[in-house]
Amino acid sequence: MIRHLFILNPEAGIRNPVEEATKRIKEAFILNTHRSDETYDIVLTKKKGDATELVKKACKENPGFTRIYACGGDGTLNEAVSGMVNAENVALCPVPVGSGNDFVRYFDIPKEEFLEIKKLIHRDPIPCDVLKCDNFYALNNISAGLDAITGKRQQKVKKLPLISGGAAYKLALGYSFMSAMKNSIKFEIDGEAVTLGKGDVTLAVLGNGKFYGGGFKATPRANISDGLIDFVSVPTISRLEFLKYVGDYKNGRHLETIPFVYYKQCRKLKMISMEPITLQADGEIYVRRNPTIEIVPSAIQLIVPEIKK
C-alpha cells in the first residue's frame, strides 16, 4: 500500500495556502487516474512540531511505502525531515508554499514545478544527505554568527505590537550589524584544529543546500548527495568591508572574488567557544555549547520535479 500524506501548514507564506494546495491535491487524485493500491490524506498542522509527530506516526503505522508532502516553508520541511531520518519506506517531497523556500532554490527550476502535484505523485525519489547537530537535524544548512544572532533577535522583536515579520528582521539585522560582527569561534574540522583570522568570525555557514536567508547563495558548490558538508566562513571584517562584499556573497560569487573567505568540504565540524553559540538551522534557532555538526549521507529519499539537463 502506498500512502500519500500531505502536511499543510496554514501559517506558511503571506496568505493561507490551504485552499489552493487542497485544490491541486484533489485534482491530482480525483481528476486523474492513480493506482488502486494508493491512498491520500490531507492533515493541517496546528502548532510548532506537529509535522515531525505526524511524519513519525505515518512511518510507524503504514507497513507499505509512505510519500510525505511538506506543504509550507523551510520550517515545515525541516520538521518533516526530523520525523523521518532513519525511517524506512518513506520519501519526502517539498511543496514550497512558504515565504522563504530556500532549499528548493538548489534545483534551479521554477518553484511552480514543485506545486504540480499530479506530476510528483509518481516521481521516483533520489537520495539526499542531511546535517545532524546534537539532537536536531537540518536539510538545508546550519550557521553561526551574524545571521544566526539576527534570527534569534528577530524572534523577540516580532513579538512587539505592530511589527511584521519583515520589519522585525530588518530591525534585528540593524541591531546585529552594530553588535555582532565579531564572534569568538574556533573550529575543529575532521579532527584538525583551524583558527580563522585572529580567532573571530563574522559568520560561518555549513551547507547541504546552497541558499539561505531568503536567497543568499552562501554555499554555491554544495551538493545534496555527495556525503560532504560545504563550510564557508568569513573572518571578522569591518562593517564597510561587509557592505562592499555583501552583493558577491548574496549572488554566490564570494568564493572567487573575496580573498579572505574560508572554504572547505568536510564530514564533521566542531565549533569551539567560551560562550554558548547561537545556531540557525533551516530557520530554527538553537543555542549550544561547542556543537558538533556532521553529515549523514543518503539519510532520506527526496522527491523533486524532473530536472532538465
Side-chain angles (χ1 to χ4, degrees), residues 233-246:
S233 185
V234 177
T236 295
I237 58 176
S238 69
R239 293 173 182 84
L240 186 60
E241 284 181 304
F242 181 87
L243 293 173
K244 177 182 177 181
Y245 290 115
V246 69

Side-chain angles (χ1 to χ4, degrees), residues 153-161 163-165 168-169:
R153 285 183 173 138
Q154 181 188 17
Q155 291 183 339
K156 296 180 180 179
V157 174
K158 68 182 181 182
K159 294 179 182 179
L160 298 174
I163 299 295
S164 65
Y169 183 81

Side-chain angles (χ1 to χ4, degrees), residues 3 5 7 43-61 68 75-84:
R3 183 189 183 195
L5 177 61
I7 300 175
V43 183
L44 306 186
T45 60
K46 298 179 180 178
K47 62 182 184 303
K48 185 176 179 178
D50 272 1
T52 299
E53 297 308 314
L54 287 167
V55 171
K56 286 181 179 180
K57 182 179 179 182
C59 293
K60 183 178 180 180
E61 291 180 349
I68 304 291
T76 306
L77 195 58
N78 175 270
E79 287 191 17
V81 168
S82 298
M84 66 183 294

Side-chain angles (χ1 to χ4, degrees), residues 134-150:
D134 298 337
N135 62 338
F136 65 88
Y137 296 93
L139 177 62
N140 194 28
N141 61 63
I142 296 175
S143 65
L146 178 65
D147 59 321
I149 293 170
T150 298

